Amino acid sequence: MDRNTVTLAEELREAGIPIDEAMASGPRPGTYARGTETVGVILKAAHDVLIEEGASAFTIRRIASASGMKVGNVSYHFPRKEMLIKIMLDELLESYDKLLESEVRQPAISPEDRLRLIVKLCLDDIAGKRTTRLFTELWALANHNPFVADRVRAFYQRVHDFIGEVVIELNPALSPDQVHTLALYISASMEGTTPFLGFEKPWADKMPQITTIAAEAMVALVKSITPEQIAQAH
C-alpha cells in the first residue's frame, strides 16, 4: 500500500473506536488517499461546513451535500465524521510544522526571537476566520464527543511540544514537566484570546497591540521563572 494511502480500519483501531461501531454508521471502511481529488473535495467541504455552519451542521449528509457527492460516496471514504476531524487536525499540524521549519527553526534566530515569532504566528492565526471558527466549533464538539476531545488534546500536546522546544533553550534549569507546564500556560494564554480578539470578536482591532505585549511578556516570563517558583504550586 502506498505510504499516503491509509486504511480507515487502522485509523479507527488507533483511535480506539470499535470497527463494528464504525461499520454500523455506514458502508465498510474503505481507504482514503491524501491528495486525491475526491478526498480533497470531501475534506474542503467538511472544513467549510464546520467553519461556516458550525458543529450542529457537521454531519456526513451535510458534508456530502456541500461536496456535491452522494452520502454513500463520502461514507465509503469516511464512515465517521470523526475521521474527517482527525485528518483536518493532522494536516493542520503538518502545516504548522512546515511553517516553524521555514520561519522559526533557523540557526540565525535567537531563542528569544524564536519565542516572539511563535507567539506572533499563533496570535496572527487566531485572528483569522479559519482558526477562530474552526477551534471554537471543535471545542463545542469535544464537550460531547470523547474521540474529538482526544484528538483536540493530541493536537494541543504537539503545540505544547513546539513551544517547549524554545522554553528549554531559554531556561535549561526547568525539568521536562516544568517545561510542559510553562508551555501549557503560554498556549492557554494565547488560546484565551479567541473569544475576545479572534475574527469578528469584540476587541479584534486590539490584536496587534496584544500580540506585542504577549511576545515580550512571554519571553520575560520564560527567562525569569525558576523551578522553585513552579514547584511551589504543588
Side-chain angles (χ1 to χ4, degrees):
M1 180 180 293
D2 185 274
R3 64 190 296 270
N4 292 319
T5 302
V6 183
T7 303
L8 276 178
E10 293 173 355
E11 293 275 21
L12 291 165
R13 289 191 192 97
E14 179 187 339
I17 298 176
I19 301 301
D20 290 344
E21 178 186 344
M23 291 176 69
S25 67
R28 66 176 179 80
T31 61
Y32 66 85
R34 293 187 185 184
T36 64
E37 183 177 355
T38 298
V39 169
V41 169
I42 295 170
L43 286 170
K44 184 180 185 307
H47 182 273
D48 291 347
V49 167
L50 196 54
I51 289 175
E52 301 295 343
E53 302 177 40
S56 62
F58 194 72
T59 65
I60 292 294
R61 185 172 297 279
R62 178 68 193 99
I63 292 164
S65 176
S67 65
M69 298 181 188
K70 294 181 179 179
V71 172
N73 291 343
V74 174
S75 59
Y76 173 78
H77 292 284
F78 302 100
R80 292 175 59 95
K81 64 184 181 182
E82 286 85 352
M83 297 315 302
L84 286 160
I85 289 172
K86 179 185 186 304
I87 297 163
M88 281 193 286
L89 287 174
D90 286 348
E91 293 190 345
L92 197 56
L93 272 176
E94 288 175 12
S95 71
Y96 287 163
D97 196 39
K98 289 177 182 177
L99 184 62
L100 288 173
E101 284 295 330
S102 63
E103 301 289 334
V104 179
R105 295 187 183 116
Q106 299 296 321
I109 301 175
S110 69
E112 290 86 351
D113 282 343
R114 278 203 288 276
L115 183 54
R116 290 186 183 99
L117 274 171
I118 289 173
V119 171
K120 184 179 186 306
L121 289 170
C122 287
L123 292 179
D124 284 352
D125 196 46
I126 287 171
K129 178 179 178 179
R130 180 195 67 174
T131 298
T132 291
R133 293 193 177 174
L134 178 63
F135 281 92
T136 51
E137 297 302 332
L138 286 173
W139 297 338
L141 285 168
N143 283 334
H144 307 285
N145 187 312
F147 176 78
V148 176
D150 184 67
R151 297 320 304 169
V152 170
R153 179 205 59 76
F155 175 90
Y156 280 118
Q157 180 60 61
R158 290 290 294 121
V159 172
H160 303 159
D161 291 344
F162 293 153
I163 297 170
E165 291 174 11
V166 182
V167 170
I168 193 63
E169 284 189 273
L170 288 170
N171 197 333
L174 300 178
S175 70
D177 182 66
Q178 289 169 338
V179 168
H180 177 256
T181 298
L182 197 49
L184 174 60
Y185 172 79
I186 293 169
S187 177
S189 298
M190 292 191 293
E191 293 297 323
T193 66
T194 303
F196 305 107
L197 303 157
F199 180 77
E200 294 185 338
K201 298 304 180 183
W203 297 282
D205 62 317
K206 292 283 188 180
M207 183 62 99
Q209 296 98 310
I210 296 297
T211 298
T212 298
I213 293 168
E216 296 308 316
M218 293 307 174
V219 169
L221 171 66
V222 172
K223 292 180 70 175
S224 64
I225 198 163
T226 66
E228 292 73 24
Q229 288 172 317
I230 298 175
Q232 286 174 5
H234 289 288

